Amino acid sequence: MRCVFVQFRCQPGKTYAVADAIYEREVVSELYSTSGDFDLIAKVYVPDDADVGHFLNETLFDIPGIARTLTTMTFRAF
């Protein structure tokens, strides 16, 4: 499994609805609200045999209320 972090900027007033929808899909291992440019951050484990872009598009990015995302790939945990 490959770990990626995905940040979500939500449309105004939609953060809680987006968070609920993400949580209901049971794809992320952790989900937090954040301050700054993005409203939420999720820790996602992508199967080794899956394409990261396709996996995220098919499992998360079609949720209504998401205005923008930022995906950070990880390489090594310390």
Side-chain angles (χ1 to χ4, degrees):
M1 300 286 265
R2 289 174 289 174
C3 177
V4 299
F5 290 90
V6 182
Q7 295 182 75
F8 299 87
R9 181 178 300 153
C10 303
Q11 295 171 349
K14 300 293 183 182
T15 301
Y16 287 98
V18 170
D20 289 342
I22 292 170
Y23 181 77
E24 288 173 5
R25 293 189 179 196
E26 298 181 355
V27 184
V28 304
S29 67
E30 298 174 48
L31 179 64
Y32 298 94
S33 59
T34 59
S35 62
D37 290 337
F38 290 86
D39 303 302
L40 301 167
I41 188 168
K43 186 177 186 180
V44 183
Y45 287 98
V46 178
D48 287 330
D49 62 341
D51 177 272
V52 173
H54 284 122
F55 182 83
L56 295 174
N57 277 318
E58 293 168 1
T59 58
L60 291 173
F61 293 167
D62 64 339
I63 294 173
I66 296 174
R68 183 173 179 208
T69 62
L70 175 66
T71 302
T72 303
M73 305 289 290
T74 63
F75 301 107
R76 181 178 172 185
F78 294 94

